[in-house]
Amino acid sequence: MGHPKSRKTLVDYLQQMRRVKCHENQIIITNGAVQALWIIGQVLLKEGELRAYRFL
Protein backbone atom coordinates (compact mmCIF):
# COMPACT_ATOMS: atom_id res chain seq x y z
CA MET A 1 0.00 0.00 0.00
CA GLY A 2 1.19 3.44 -0.78
CA HIS A 3 2.88 4.89 -3.83
CA PRO A 4 5.92 2.79 -4.86
CA LYS A 5 8.21 5.83 -5.18
CA SER A 6 7.25 7.01 -1.68
CA ARG A 7 7.94 3.58 -0.24
CA LYS A 8 11.34 3.45 -1.99
CA THR A 9 12.23 6.90 -0.63
CA LEU A 10 11.27 5.81 2.88
CA VAL A 11 13.33 2.61 2.60
CA ASP A 12 16.36 4.63 1.43
CA TYR A 13 15.95 7.01 4.39
CA LEU A 14 15.56 4.19 6.90
CA GLN A 15 18.63 2.39 5.58
CA GLN A 16 20.87 5.46 5.40
CA MET A 17 19.80 7.44 8.45
CA ARG A 18 18.43 4.81 10.84
CA ARG A 19 20.38 1.71 9.69
CA VAL A 20 17.13 -0.25 9.35
CA LYS A 21 17.24 -3.05 6.80
CA CYS A 22 13.92 -3.35 5.01
CA HIS A 23 12.36 -3.67 1.56
CA GLU A 24 9.63 -1.68 -0.18
CA ASN A 25 7.26 -4.65 0.16
CA GLN A 26 7.52 -4.37 3.96
CA ILE A 27 6.34 -0.74 4.02
CA ILE A 28 2.67 0.26 4.24
CA ILE A 29 1.78 3.93 3.93
CA THR A 30 -1.69 4.84 5.19
CA ASN A 31 -3.81 7.98 5.20
CA GLY A 32 -3.79 8.09 8.98
CA ALA A 33 -3.98 6.22 12.26
CA VAL A 34 -7.54 4.97 11.78
CA GLN A 35 -6.69 3.32 8.48
CA ALA A 36 -3.49 1.85 9.95
CA LEU A 37 -5.36 0.41 12.93
CA TRP A 38 -8.05 -1.02 10.66
CA ILE A 39 -5.40 -2.81 8.57
CA ILE A 40 -3.74 -4.18 11.71
CA GLY A 41 -7.11 -5.44 12.93
CA GLN A 42 -7.75 -7.21 9.63
CA VAL A 43 -4.39 -8.95 9.85
CA LEU A 44 -4.69 -10.01 13.49
CA LEU A 45 -8.32 -11.15 13.59
CA LYS A 46 -9.08 -14.65 12.43
CA GLU A 47 -11.96 -15.43 10.10
CA GLY A 48 -15.21 -15.61 12.02
CA GLU A 49 -14.04 -13.57 15.01
CA LEU A 50 -16.19 -10.69 16.18
CA ARG A 51 -15.31 -7.31 14.76
CA ALA A 52 -16.57 -4.09 16.28
CA TYR A 53 -15.86 -0.66 14.80
CA ARG A 54 -16.48 2.73 16.27
CA PHE A 55 -15.71 5.69 14.10
CA LEU A 56 -15.63 9.14 15.62
Side-chain angles (χ1 to χ4, degrees):
M1 298 185 114
H3 193 274
K5 188 173 180 180
S6 297
R7 293 188 324 202
K8 174 68 171 130
T9 301
L10 184 56
V11 166
D12 291 343
Y13 168 79
L14 290 171
Q15 289 177 348
Q16 293 173 10
M17 305 303 280
R18 302 291 181 165
R19 300 193 189 280
V20 173
K21 293 181 182 179
C22 60
H23 189 269
E24 294 97 6
N25 293 337
Q26 296 173 303
I27 303 292
I28 296 176
I29 299 174
T30 67
N31 289 323
V34 172
Q35 184 182 23
L37 291 170
W38 185 84
I39 292 170
I40 292 168
Q42 296 301 305
V43 170
L44 295 178
L45 290 173
K46 296 177 182 137
E47 186 174 337
E49 288 185 329
L50 179 62
R51 291 177 170 90
Y53 299 103
R54 181 177 179 208
F55 295 100
L56 302 176

